[in-house]
Amino acid sequence: MKDSESLAIENQHLQEEVNQLRKRLSKSENKYRQVIEQSRRSMDINSDYLIEYLNPAGLRALGASCRIENYNRFDKSFQLAFNDMIHRKQLEESLMKSEETYRRLVELSPEPVLVHQDGIFLYMNKAALKLLGGEQPCQFIGQSIWEYLSQEYLPMLKNRMERILDGEETDLTEFVIIRMDGKLVYTESRSSLIYVNGKPSILTCLRDITLRKKNEELREEKQQKLRYSEERYYRLQRSLDRFSRDVLSVVNVGELERRLIKEVKKILKVDAVAIVECTPEGILVRCGLSSLSKRLEKALNAHNQMIITANALFHIHGGWFEKIGERQGNNIYLCIDESAEILMVQPKQVWLQTLARYVHVLYDNFLVIDNLSMDIEQIVGQPEAPPWMLRMQFTLSENERKRLSQDLHDSALQEQIVHYRQLEAIINDFEFDPPIAAKLEEIKEGLLDVIYQIRLTCNELRPPLLQEFGLVASLESLVQAEQLRNDYVIRLTANYPTEHSDDLTVAIYRIVQELLSNASKHSNATEVTLRLNTGDFCISLDYEDNGIGLNLDNLQNTYHSMGVYGIRERIRSLNGTISFSSAPNNGLKIGVKLPTLLEIYEKKENLCYTS
């Protein structure tokens, strides 16, 4: 009994273990069945070439909706269908992977990309979202793209989208996007036709070019400033050249003051310009205006009590003034009795100070000469200065011109040469954009022109050939220079020995210089003839042109306007004579005769004044 009971208990234990094993096997079987059921690969269980089980992936591959049993898997038609479905599934999987790859590329692209259909946002990547100033795509998806485009570009963009939908290829297009915060963004884009859910849509790639646009605008602004600065530089330089040439024929302070006021009015575009003298009794207006404003008079009186250097420029509310010289201890000022905002620009101030410096070089000497002439006229009691006095004036004038020529050569000319060489070194050592390089070359050529003009001015102030090669060579050089600047023909014949005095040689040169200057300004001639001959006791200079001529009855009135006064005074200083022959529209002839025995005339003149 015990053995049978023990056996029964043991069998019961074994049965329980078997049941537990079955449960565990069932759980394991269910677990692996779920793995097989969820697998994307087709799996089957077959016995004797018959399918006993086919997982859902296999069913989908076969296009079945329920379990297939007792089917010969080696049937050719079934095998072909099964392989074809697998290939298609592989293509679908590859396509899905490719789409996922390109989606990630678009999402991670630093360039903004968006898709729109019928003017409505469908998609945008993170870069496009950032460009529009948004945080989530839902802020834009489903909205109109036209709300974020500048109005001025809408017609062009609509026309462009119509062309894209028609299948045309388009080039890069620039337009302005309005961000959510209202800021404007300059962009360039390229678009292409795509299909989304079977409907034509437009894929657009954008690029933010705001910084480039700003740099272009900044570069254009700098180029405009460079062009304006260059034009202003040439304009002011031409003014200085013109003024320095004109003062060569000036022989008194009044004419110098009038010429200065004329140049200031022309360049600064002002009207209220005057030259005044501060005297102990008050302010005396010498030239220009009839009177000054109270504010300018008050400022002049205040500054006149201080020590003021020449060419110092002062600015007050509504006016400017600058010291240009002294007369008998009184300061002389150039005054501009209006705001003249143009003088706030530094180059204009430098130009005015340079102009005043030119005037200052001549002003003091002219004042000394005028004062001396007035004293001598009072002593002698004659309305005109005696010839010896005129000779002294012209000698002082020539000495001053020589000093001015030397100053220009040693200062302004050398500075321009240094600037030219520095600019040339910069052009050679650095690379520039073609437009900037071209402008620098223009400035370089302009500096060469300025250097040439300064040298020309120095030569006109003091012709170097007079000392080295004599009068004839100097006149030939002068004729060549005038021929280049004018459109009339100049014929020169000269017979002049070298043993005459320097005063006589310089006088003849200055007379010819003034005659040619008058011809270019007033004659309208096409041909000018100059003949210089030397006799035993006299030198003759004959001038003739075929211009408009003049009325000899009004000759006295033309002395100051045509420079004839300076010629006449210079000839009178050498005890010479001048004659005129002309009629309106019948040309002009001028005959000049200068005695060669100047020493005899000087002795006679001195005896006459002594007695």
Side-chain angles (χ1 to χ4, degrees), residues 236 239 242 263-269 342 348 351:
L236 297 180
S239 169
R242 180 175 60 249
E263 193 69 23
V264 171
K265 287 182 176 180
K266 180 178 181 180
I267 298 300
L268 299 184
K269 309 299 182 185
I342 194 172
K348 294 290 187 180
W351 168 83

Side-chain angles (χ1 to χ4, degrees), residues 508-519:
I508 295 173
Y509 181 87
R510 294 299 184 197
I511 292 171
V512 173
Q513 189 179 41
E514 189 59 42
L515 288 173
L516 293 178
S517 176
N518 284 336

Side-chain angles (χ1 to χ4, degrees), residues 53 62 80 87 96 180 204 206 212 296 348 465 550:
Y53 168 79
L62 293 175
L80 289 174
H87 181 63
M96 291 175 63
M180 291 188 68
T204 301
L206 301 170
R212 190 183 77 188
L296 190 55
K348 294 290 187 180
L465 297 180
L550 55 85

